[in-house]
Amino acid sequence: MVVDQDQQWLLSCLTASLDPNQNVRSFAEASLTQASLQPGFGSALCRVAANKDLSLGLRQLAAVLLKQFIKKHWRENEEAFEYPVVSSEEKALIRGLLLGSLDDPHRKICTAISMDISSIATYDWPEEWPELLPFLLKLVSDQNNSNGVHGALRCLALVSGDLDDKEVPTLVPVLFPCLHAIVSSPQSYDKYMRGKALSIYYSCISVLGAMSGVYKTEITTLVTPVLKVWMNQFSLILEHPVQREDPDDWSLRMEVLKCLNQFVQNFPFLIESELMSIMRPLWHTFESSLQVYLRSSIQGAEDSYDGRYDSDGEEKSLDTFVIQLFEFLSTIVSSRRLAKVIASNVRELVYQTVAFLQVTEQQIHTWSMDVNQFVADEDEGSYSCRMSGILLLEEVVNTFGREGINAVVDAAGKRFQESQDEKTAGSPAWWRIREAALFALASLADELVESEDLRTDPANLAKFIEQLIMEDTGIGYHECPFLYARIFTAVAKFSTVINPGILEHLLNAAVRAINMDVPPTVKVGACRALLQLLPDMKRSVILPQIMNLFSSLTDLLHQASDETLILVLETLQQAIKAGHEASSSIESIISPVILNVWVAHVSDPFLSIDVIDVLEAIKNSPGCLHPLTSRILPFIGPILNKPHQQPEGLASGSLDLLTMLLKGAPGDIVKTSYDFCFEAVIRIILHSEDHSELQNATECLAAFISSGRQELLTWSGDPGLTMRSLLDAASRLLNPDLECSGSLFAGKYILQLILHLPSEMAPHVQDLVAALVRRMQSADISGFRSSLLLIFARLVHMSFPNVDQFINLLVSVPADGHENSFAYVMTEWTKQQGEIQGAYQIKVTSSALALLLSTKHSEFAKVNVPGNPIQSNGGITTRSKARSAPEQWSIIPLPMKILALLADTLIEIQEQVVGCEDEDSEWEEVHEGDVEADKDLLRSTGASQSSKPTYNQLAAMARTFENQDDDDGDDDLHVTDPLNEINLASYLADFLLKFSSGDRSLFDNLCQGLTQAQRNVIQTVLNR
C-alpha cells in the first residue's frame, strides 16, 4: 500500500507515541489529539490499521485510536461526543476500509478491526449501514477464505450482542445454517472458530428466548425445525472426553453449555424431549472434566491456564469451563419440568461434585502467601469452582428434598472413608477430599439441620458430624492447616446439634489457636468458629476464657489487615458482647487499641464501620459508657474544631464516632458531647465543602436533636441562639446551590426538628416548605427527593385535623414550572411513592396520602399526574430504540392516582406474606404436587383458597409488614414517632370505608381508572 506524505507524518506520530522518552511521547500524543480535529484523520487511521506492510504494533495502535475517534466524533448528542463530527463521506470510506480488512491474517488486528466495526454499528446499523450483515454473512460462508471466516465470526460475535427482536428472526434462517456448517466441520475449522460460531448462535438464542414471552408461537415455529440438528451437534461435541491442557476444547464445550442453558431456561417445553439424548454425552463431559481437573487444578501436574485469556480477551481457564458446567447442571436441577432426567443419577452427581470441591494447588499457594485472599475466597459471594459446586448441591437439595439431602450425607461419608484409606496409605494429600466433604456439609448445614425428612434422625446426624470433626482434632495445626480451619467453621455451622461438651472443647481450642503460633488460615477458622459460638454459649463456659480471648484478639489486631482485620474486629465485637460485664475491667486496655485501629483506617469506609461497631459494643457494656466517652470526646473535639487541618477522612470519621456515642445515650452524655462538639458540628455544616463531612455532620446533628430534644436548646444559655443555629444548618442543607450528595441526609435532620421541636418550628413552616420545594426541584438524586417527600408527609400529619390549611399553604407557595407547590409536590410524590423504602417511611407517606385525599380539596380537580407507562409494541429495548422512543406515561386525575397508590400499598403488604415465585417459564406445566403445595401454603398463612384474600388476612399481613426490620439504620431516630405504631392495613381500610361511604359516586368514578388487582384489594377491604 502506497504511503503519502500525510500518512508518513501519521506513522511518525504513532511511532513517537510509543517512545520510552516521556517528552517525545507527550508531544506525539498532543499532535495526534490536534490532528483528530482535522477532516480525514479517521480514514487515515483506518488505512494504517489495514496496511499489512506495516508493523503489527503500529496497526494495532491505529485501530485502538480509531475506536476512540469513533466514540468521540461519530454521532452528535452522544455522551462522549466532541466536535467536529465525521462527515458522511468519510464515514462511508471508513466503513468500507474496515470491512475490507476483516480477512487480516493477524488475529489481534482482526479483533481490533471487529471492535471498530462494532462501535460504528452501535450508531449506524441497520438504518445507515444496511449492507453490514449481508457482507458478514457472505464472508462467513466463504470456506475458501479461512481468515475472512474468522474475521466475520469475530465481528458477528461483537455485533450480535446488540441484535434485537426485529433483526434476529429474519437473520436466523440465513445465519444458523452458516454457523452450523462451521460448528459441524472440525476438519475445516479449528475449535476456536467453531467456538466463535457457537457464541453467535448463543447471542441469537438469548434474544429469541427474551422474545418468547411475547411471541411464543412465532418463536416456537422458528426454533423447532433447527433444534434437533443443533442438539445432535452438541451431543457430538460433548461425547468426546475433555482434553487435557486444551483451552480451545474447554471454550468450545463452554459455548455448547451456554447455548443449552438458554434452551433450558427459555424453551423447556421444546427441549424436554431432546434433553435425554444430551444427558449421556453431558455425563461423559462431566466425568472426564473431573479427571482433567484433578490433574490440572487440584494436583497441579498439568496446565489449567488459570488467569489467562485468548486474543479476544475471553478467559480460557479450566475453572471457567467447570463453573459453566456446574451452572448448566444447576439450571436443569432447578427446573421442575426437567429435573427428572437427572433424578436417577442424583447420588452419583453429588458424589462426583464433592471431588470438585477440593482445594486446588493454586489456592494452597495463594492462601499460604495471602491470608486475606483466603478470607475473601471463603466468602459466599466469591466466584470459583468450589462455590459453583456448592450452588449445584444446594439446588439438588432444594429440588430433590430428602433424596438430595441423603445423597449429600452419603457422598460425604464415602469421601471421608476414601480419605481414611489415603491417610493409611501415606498419601500427603489425604486431607483434601476430607476438607471438601466437610466444606459440602457445612455449606448445607441449614438444610441438613432443619430437614425433617432426613433418613437418619438428628441425633444420628449429630454423631456423624461429630465423628468427622473429632477424627482430626488431634492432628497438628501445622500439618493440615486448611483442614483444621474447615473443622472450626464446620463446628460453627453445626453448633445447634453438636454435643455441648464437644462445643466447649472446640471453643477452648479456638481460643488457644488465636493465641498460638499457628498458620494464619487456622486463626481465620478459629475466628469464624468464635463468631458463631460466642452468642449462644453459656456464660459459665465463656467467662473463664474471656480475658485470655480479649488479650489474644487485641494482639491479633496488630497483625491483621484488610479482610482479616474485618474478621478479627467482628470476632472482638462478639467477644465483648459475650463478656458483657467483664468488658468494663479491660475497657482501659482495649479501647485505646481500637481507637488506634480506627485512626489508622478511618479513610476506609468498611473497616471504620466495623471499628465503630466494636466501640459501640464497648459502649453498651455495663460500666463502659462514661470512661469510653471521656476517652473519645477530648480526642475528637479538637479534630472537629479544625477539620480542614486533618488527614483525609478523620473529621468525617470523628462525626460518625460522635453519632454512635449520641444514639440512645443518657442526658449527661449528650450534654457533655454538646459542650465538646455541638458548635463545631454546626460550623462544619455551614462551611464545609466536603460531602462526606456534610453527610456525617447532618446525621450527627439529627442524633443530637433525637437524644437532647427540648433540653438541647437550654444548654447554651440562649435557646433562641441555639434554635437559630439549627435553622441556619437546615438552610444550608436545603440550599439549591449545594450538591445533592452534601445534602443527602437533610431529610433525616429536618424530620428530627419537626418531631422534637414542633413549637419552635411552627413559625417557620411556610419558609421550610418553600425551601423544600426549591431543594427538591434542584435535586438529581431520586432517593434524596424521596427523603424530602417524607417531610411533607409528616407535615400533613402534623396539620391534622386542618389538612385543608396545609394544602392552602402549598398552593400559596410558587414552584418553577408548575401552577404552585401543591401541583409540583403531588406530581413528584405520586411519581416517587412506589420507590419509597422502609416500613416507617411507607406508613407515614401512605397514610398522609389518605389524609390528603380525604379532604376532597378543590385543588385536587386541577392537578393531573402521570398514571401508568404506555406499553410499546413489545420486544426488546435496544440502545437505538431507547434513544428514539423514550418511555411515555398516561395522564390521570390526582385523586385517581392516589387511590391507585393506596391500593398498591395493600397489594404490596399482601405480597410480603403470600409472595409468588416463578421458578420456571410461564409455559411450564404445574404438577399436581405443586398445586397441593400451594394449597398447603395458603392453609399455613390462614388464607382461603379463593383468589381474593380476606380483610383479616390483610390485617395479619400488615402485622408481618410492621415487624420487618428496616435496613436504613434509622430506627432509633424515628422509633419515638407515634406514627410508627400505625397498623397500615387497618388505617387504609378505615380510610377507604369512610371515603367510599362519604361520596360513593366519586369513589366509583375513581375506581374505574384502577387495574383489576387494585379494585380487587379495595373490594376485599370494603367487604370486611
Side-chain angles (χ1 to χ4, degrees):
M1 185 179 289
V2 178
V3 178
D4 60 23
Q5 187 175 356
D6 288 340
Q7 279 233 296
Q8 189 58 57
W9 177 89
L10 178 59
L11 289 172
S12 299
C13 270
L14 291 172
T15 303
S17 69
L18 300 174
D19 196 287
N21 186 303
Q22 173 68 42
N23 293 331
V24 173
R25 195 165 64 247
S26 296
F27 182 77
E29 290 168 355
S31 300
L32 288 168
T33 301
Q34 189 64 34
S36 70
L37 305 178
Q38 303 303 314
F41 181 74
S43 54
L45 285 175
C46 202
R47 288 191 181 92
V48 173
N51 191 340
K52 297 182 175 67
D53 297 330
L54 298 175
S55 69
L56 182 63
L58 280 184
R59 297 178 64 201
Q60 221 175 337
L61 175 60
V64 170
L65 291 176
L66 179 60
K67 185 182 178 186
Q68 296 172 5
F69 174 81
I70 292 166
K71 186 176 181 180
K72 290 181 180 180
H73 300 290
W74 201 267
R75 175 70 64 88
E76 292 185 82
N77 301 322
E78 291 294 322
E79 186 178 350
F81 176 75
E82 296 178 9
Y83 283 100
V85 67
V86 184
S87 67
S88 299
E89 295 76 14
E90 187 174 3
K91 285 182 179 179
L93 180 59
I94 291 172
R95 290 193 294 254
L97 285 168
L98 289 174
L99 290 180
S101 304
L102 270 178
D103 62 351
D104 198 278
H106 291 290
R107 282 191 173 178
K108 288 185 177 180
I109 294 296
C110 188
T111 296
I113 294 290
S114 298
M115 293 177 78
D116 290 336
I117 292 173
S118 177
S119 296
I120 295 173
T122 301
Y123 305 116
D124 290 2
W125 181 81
E127 291 84 1
E128 296 170 42
W129 201 4
E131 67 271 22
L132 173 61
L133 273 184
F135 178 90
L136 294 175
L137 290 174
K138 182 180 179 181
L139 191 59
V140 85
S141 304
D142 186 358
Q143 296 189 16
N144 296 320
N145 183 0
S146 61
N147 289 333
V149 173
H150 169 259
L153 285 173
R154 185 70 191 105
C155 196
L156 279 168
L158 290 169
V159 172
S160 63
D162 202 36
L163 292 173
D164 67 12
D165 50 321
K166 287 185 178 178
E167 287 86 26
V168 169
T170 57
L171 196 58
V172 163
V174 184
L175 178 60
F176 277 16
C178 298
L179 297 177
H180 186 268
I182 294 171
V183 174
S184 61
S185 304
Q187 70 281 0
S188 302
Y189 301 102
D190 60 21
K191 292 173 183 175
Y192 170 84
M193 293 176 69
R194 294 165 68 207
K196 277 288 168 267
L198 280 172
S199 72
I200 300 164
Y201 180 77
Y202 166 77
S203 294
C204 294
I205 289 296
S206 299
V207 173
L208 294 174
M211 293 173 61
S212 60
V214 179
Y215 307 108
K216 177 184 175 182
T217 304
E218 294 86 342
I219 299 304
T220 302
T221 303
L222 196 63
V223 171
T224 303
V226 300
L227 182 62
K228 194 168 191 66
V229 68
W230 279 100
M231 289 298 157
N232 290 339
Q233 193 57 47
F234 293 160
S235 295
L236 289 172
I237 293 172
L238 297 176
E239 178 70 35
H240 300 290
V242 174
Q243 300 300 297
R244 296 152 49 184
E245 299 185 297
D246 188 350
D248 286 340
D249 178 69
W250 308 336
S251 297
L252 178 65
R253 292 172 193 267
M254 189 164 71
E255 294 298 337
V256 168
L257 294 171
K258 286 166 62 179
C259 294
L260 286 170
N261 210 36
Q262 278 295 315
F263 276 112
V264 170
Q265 287 178 331
N266 295 310
F267 306 100
F269 61 100
L270 288 180
I271 200 175
E272 185 174 8
S273 60
E274 300 291 337
L275 195 57
M276 191 58 75
S277 63
I278 286 282
M279 291 314 295
R280 181 184 292 276
L282 178 65
W283 192 254
H284 289 165
T285 285
F286 183 67
E287 287 189 315
S288 58
S289 66
L290 175 57
Q291 299 311 309
V292 174
Y293 189 75
L294 287 172
R295 284 189 56 77
S296 300
S297 295
I298 294 173
Q299 297 170 11
E302 295 172 355
D303 195 346
S304 66
Y305 286 78
D306 186 47
R308 276 177 275 178
Y309 298 82
D310 63 21
S311 59
D312 300 330
E314 302 287 341
E315 191 171 358
K316 59 181 183 178
S317 69
L318 182 59
D319 267 30
T320 308
F321 160 60
V322 173
I323 289 170
Q324 184 61 58
L325 180 57
F326 280 143
E327 183 181 336
F328 176 53
L329 289 167
S330 296
T331 305
I332 294 176
V333 170
S334 64
S335 168
R336 287 176 292 182
R337 176 189 286 271
L338 303 177
K340 59 191 176 186
V341 302
I342 215 163
S344 59
N345 292 309
V346 165
R347 289 179 178 274
E348 186 63 21
L349 173 66
V350 171
Y351 173 76
Q352 300 282 18
T353 299
V354 171
F356 275 105
L357 305 183
Q358 294 176 82
V359 178
T360 67
E361 193 65 25
Q362 181 61 46
Q363 285 169 331
I364 290 174
H365 173 75
T366 301
W367 294 346
S368 298
M369 299 293 291
D370 183 4
V371 70
N372 287 307
Q373 192 61 49
F374 174 66
V375 176
D377 289 344
E378 287 285 286
D379 183 75
E380 291 181 359
S382 66
Y383 179 78
S384 67
C385 277
R386 277 163 69 90
M387 291 304 172
S388 297
I390 291 299
L391 292 176
L392 172 58
L393 295 182
E394 287 178 354
E395 290 293 351
V396 167
V397 169
N398 291 337
T399 298
F400 295 103
R402 177 180 59 190
E403 181 65 23
I405 288 173
N406 288 330
V408 172
V409 173
D410 287 350
K414 288 179 182 177
R415 293 299 188 183
F416 178 77
Q417 187 56 53
E418 289 170 13
S419 72
Q420 286 286 77
D421 296 341
E422 289 185 26
K423 185 178 182 182
T424 303
S427 169
W430 66 268
W431 60 270
R432 280 180 166 168
I433 196 66
R434 185 171 299 189
E435 190 273 345
L438 274 175
F439 179 52
L441 290 170
S443 300
L444 297 167
D446 291 341
E447 291 86 344
L448 291 170
V449 170
E450 294 170 7
S451 173
E452 297 176 358
D453 296 324
L454 193 62
R455 184 181 58 212
T456 54
D457 62 33
N460 287 338
L461 171 65
K463 288 180 182 176
F464 175 65
I465 300 298
E466 288 166 8
Q467 179 192 359
L468 264 62
I469 289 170
M470 297 306 293
E471 178 72 27
D472 299 311
T473 52
I475 65 172
Y477 292 120
H478 293 272
E479 185 181 343
C480 300
F482 298 106
L483 177 58
Y484 225 111
R486 182 62 54 208
I487 290 171
F488 278 134
T489 53
V491 168
K493 292 285 190 178
F494 287 102
S495 59
T496 57
V497 297
I498 292 177
N499 181 286
I502 293 177
L503 287 181
E504 184 176 346
H505 170 77
L506 286 159
L507 176 79
N508 294 334
V511 174
R512 286 197 306 272
I514 287 176
N515 197 33
M516 294 171 62
D517 180 19
V518 298
T521 50
V522 177
K523 292 181 185 280
V524 166
C527 284
R528 291 193 187 280
L530 290 169
L531 267 176
Q532 191 79 24
L533 295 177
L534 285 172
D536 300 316
M537 191 64 73
K538 291 180 180 178
R539 289 282 176 85
S540 59
V541 175
I542 295 174
L543 289 178
Q545 299 277 359
I546 201 68
M547 301 306 288
N548 186 30
L549 182 57
F550 283 149
S551 175
S552 301
L553 288 171
T554 305
D555 289 341
L556 201 54
L557 284 173
H558 299 298
Q559 306 166 30
S561 63
D562 301 332
E563 279 81 2
T564 52
L565 182 54
I566 291 174
L567 180 61
V568 175
L569 288 168
E570 290 172 347
T571 309
L572 185 56
Q573 182 186 354
Q574 289 302 327
I576 291 166
K577 290 179 179 179
H580 206 52
E581 61 271 9
S583 302
S584 60
S585 60
I586 52 90
E587 186 278 332
S588 61
I589 300 171
I590 202 168
S591 293
V593 175
I594 300 299
L595 284 169
N596 285 335
V597 173
W598 173 77
V599 171
H601 299 279
V602 71
S603 60
D604 183 324
F606 298 106
L607 266 171
S608 59
I609 287 171
D610 282 315
V611 177
I612 289 177
D613 285 343
V614 174
L615 291 168
E616 188 168 20
I618 296 173
K619 164 193 155 184
N620 293 332
S621 297
C624 292
L625 174 57
H626 287 82
L628 181 64
T629 302
S630 64
R631 197 180 308 283
I632 289 177
L633 290 180
F635 176 69
I636 65 173
I639 294 172
L640 297 180
N641 274 308
K642 297 181 178 179
H644 55 284
Q645 297 180 7
Q646 309 306 322
E648 182 184 357
L650 188 56
S652 176
S654 297
L655 290 162
D656 262 344
L657 202 53
L658 178 57
T659 303
M660 180 274 293
L661 278 181
L662 288 170
K663 287 182 178 180
D668 62 324
I669 295 292
V670 181
K671 171 68 167 64
T672 306
S673 301
Y674 177 94
D675 293 338
F676 268 93
C677 305
F678 179 78
E679 291 183 5
V681 174
I682 292 288
R683 281 196 300 274
I684 288 173
I685 291 180
L686 294 181
H687 302 295
S688 178
E689 297 297 331
D690 183 293
H691 292 177
S692 178
E693 287 180 12
L694 280 168
Q695 289 175 13
N696 291 356
T698 306
E699 288 198 289
C700 188
L701 208 50
F704 263 121
I705 298 168
S706 178
S707 300
R709 306 193 183 185
Q710 290 282 343
E711 287 184 59
L712 179 137
L713 297 179
T714 66
W715 289 336
S716 70
D718 187 346
L721 180 63
T722 304
M723 192 65 208
R724 185 73 258 162
S725 296
L726 295 172
L727 290 172
D728 287 346
S731 179
R732 170 89 199 282
L733 293 170
L734 294 179
N735 186 339
D737 295 332
L738 184 64
E739 288 188 38
C740 282
S741 178
S743 302
L744 203 56
F745 299 126
K748 181 187 298 186
Y749 167 56
I750 294 168
L751 182 63
Q752 299 311 305
L753 284 176
I754 63 175
L755 281 176
H756 299 300
L757 304 174
S759 58
E760 287 80 6
M761 288 298 295
H764 306 286
V765 168
Q766 183 160 357
D767 290 338
L768 175 62
V769 165
L772 286 168
V773 168
R774 287 195 299 271
R775 179 74 271 205
M776 280 180 64
Q777 289 196 303
S778 67
D780 55 6
I781 300 176
S782 175
F784 178 48
R785 291 198 298 273
S786 295
S787 71
L788 299 185
L789 284 170
L790 182 64
I791 308 304
F792 284 106
R794 198 61 189 79
L795 289 172
V796 168
H797 281 282
M798 295 178 80
S799 68
F800 182 80
N802 302 310
V803 180
D804 291 77
Q805 294 179 15
F806 183 68
I807 295 176
N808 292 335
L809 171 62
L810 286 173
V811 171
S812 70
V813 175
D816 289 345
H818 292 78
E819 190 72 23
N820 50 54
S821 286
F822 178 74
Y824 167 70
V825 170
M826 296 315 300
T827 301
E828 191 65 32
W829 192 341
T830 53
K831 192 189 304 179
Q832 294 272 353
Q833 181 65 29
E835 306 301 319
I836 290 174
Q837 302 291 318
Y840 169 78
Q841 288 83 348
I842 293 171
K843 285 179 193 178
V844 174
T845 53
S846 298
S847 53
L849 285 173
L851 280 177
L852 288 167
L853 187 56
S854 67
T855 65
K856 300 175 187 173
H857 195 288
S858 59
E859 202 67 24
F860 274 91
K862 303 176 184 177
V863 181
N864 293 314
V865 296
N868 297 305
I870 298 172
Q871 297 297 320
S872 63
N873 294 327
I876 299 165
T877 302
T878 59
R879 284 173 289 186
S880 58
K881 274 190 185 180
R883 279 196 298 264
S884 61
E887 190 173 36
Q888 294 181 313
W889 292 71
S890 63
I891 301 298
I892 62 174
L894 174 59
M896 185 180 291
K897 179 65 175 183
I898 292 178
L899 190 60
L901 289 169
L902 298 180
D904 286 340
T905 301
L906 288 171
I907 292 170
E908 184 181 347
I909 294 172
Q910 175 184 339
E911 289 173 350
Q912 292 282 344
V913 174
V914 175
C916 218
E917 284 189 24
D918 237 355
E919 291 185 15
D920 290 305
S921 165
E922 61 184 88
W923 301 333
E924 283 204 18
E925 298 171 0
V926 180
H927 300 293
E928 289 183 14
D930 300 324
V931 174
E932 287 303 313
D934 290 342
K935 289 180 180 177
D936 290 340
L937 174 63
L938 288 170
R939 295 188 196 105
S940 69
T941 58
S944 63
Q945 290 175 32
S946 66
S947 61
K948 298 179 183 178
T950 66
Y951 172 74
N952 287 337
Q953 285 169 243
L954 283 176
M957 292 167 189
R959 285 193 293 273
T960 299
F961 177 77
E962 316 286 324
N963 293 332
Q964 287 188 343
D965 291 333
D966 276 342
D967 292 330
D968 60 8
D970 297 338
D971 289 350
D972 50 341
L973 295 184
H974 58 55
V975 72
T976 55
D977 189 347
L979 294 184
N980 209 28
E981 303 304 315
I982 287 177
N983 180 308
L984 191 55
S986 298
Y987 185 97
L988 295 181
D990 291 342
F991 160 74
L992 289 169
L993 283 167
K994 291 175 184 175
F995 187 70
S996 61
S997 60
D999 189 340
R1000 190 70 195 196
S1001 62
L1002 170 64
F1003 182 76
D1004 289 342
N1005 181 54
L1006 294 179
C1007 285
Q1008 293 303 311
L1010 305 188
T1011 66
Q1012 189 60 51
Q1014 290 166 342
R1015 289 198 291 268
N1016 285 347
V1017 77
I1018 289 176
Q1019 195 59 48
T1020 298
V1021 168
L1022 298 182
N1023 290 342
R1024 64 173 175 167

